[in-house]
Amino acid sequence: GVAVSQRFLERGDTIPPGGIPIDAASLNKWVHDDTNSFAIHGYIYRVILLDFLFLLCLGCFLGSASSSLALQINWPASWPYVSSNVWWIAPTLYMASDAIEDSMIAALLLLPSLIMDGSVRFMRVATHAKIVISFFSFAQLLALWALGSFFK
């Protein structure tokens, strides 16, 4: 359906096409609407599964690229040593927050009895955390690239 194609649970604050704000009542109504059963199945077994693959690929890329760039930087001797493992923290947090978000979406769609104000709020917090941490991970990568250009 339109709502699933727009990945409304991950990207928006409303349920398309009507623009109804996402809360426990509206999500519960959407899930129990029989016309959405095919869309729910597609969201869980196609979108979410592909998103798990994507989060692993992106997180591993961000972590390995950051770590590799950090190892190539000729850090000033006056700076303290930082293990290359440190550069995996943000990408790992990104993968964790995205996995939590995906798991919450799947759980709420598969088990509508779990749809409550707290569970919907928790899912939304995981979504916002994923976005913030992914921006930080990309910023980290760009900063390490810039530092590598400066400290050759």
Side-chain angles (χ1 to χ4, degrees):
V2 173
V4 173
S5 69
Q6 293 180 9
R7 294 177 70 178
F8 72 101
L9 291 173
E10 300 165 86
R11 296 183 179 161
D13 293 323
T14 61
I15 300 174
I20 301 165
I22 297 173
D23 59 19
S26 63
L27 184 57
N28 207 352
K29 184 178 178 184
W30 187 83
V31 168
H32 283 96
D33 184 344
D34 290 336
T35 62
N36 293 324
S37 61
F38 184 74
I40 290 169
H41 186 270
Y43 208 119
I44 296 168
Y45 297 106
R46 290 191 183 103
V47 175
I48 297 295
L49 289 179
L50 285 174
D51 197 44
F52 269 112
L53 180 63
F54 177 80
L55 77 88
L56 285 173
C57 291
L58 180 60
C60 288
F61 165 74
L62 291 168
S64 61
S66 293
S67 182
S68 295
L69 285 171
L71 287 172
Q72 294 177 14
I73 296 173
N74 187 16
W75 297 99
S78 61
W79 290 17
Y81 170 77
V82 176
S83 170
S84 62
N85 293 333
V86 167
W87 307 109
W88 276 92
I89 293 172
T92 301
L93 289 174
Y94 156 73
M95 289 187 285
S97 61
D98 199 356
I100 289 168
E101 175 202 39
D102 288 346
S103 299
M104 284 297 299
I105 290 170
L108 295 177
L109 296 180
L110 282 171
L111 303 167
S113 62
L114 296 176
I115 299 174
M116 295 176 264
D117 288 332
S119 57
V120 172
R121 197 173 316 114
F122 184 75
M123 178 188 65
R124 304 303 292 161
V125 167
T127 298
H128 294 298
K130 169 191 78 170
I131 292 167
V132 169
I133 296 167
S134 66
F135 280 124
F136 181 79
S137 297
F138 276 106
Q140 170 184 279
L141 183 64
L142 291 173
L144 288 168
W145 173 78
L147 284 170
S149 299
F150 188 73
F151 294 116
K152 292 183 180 183

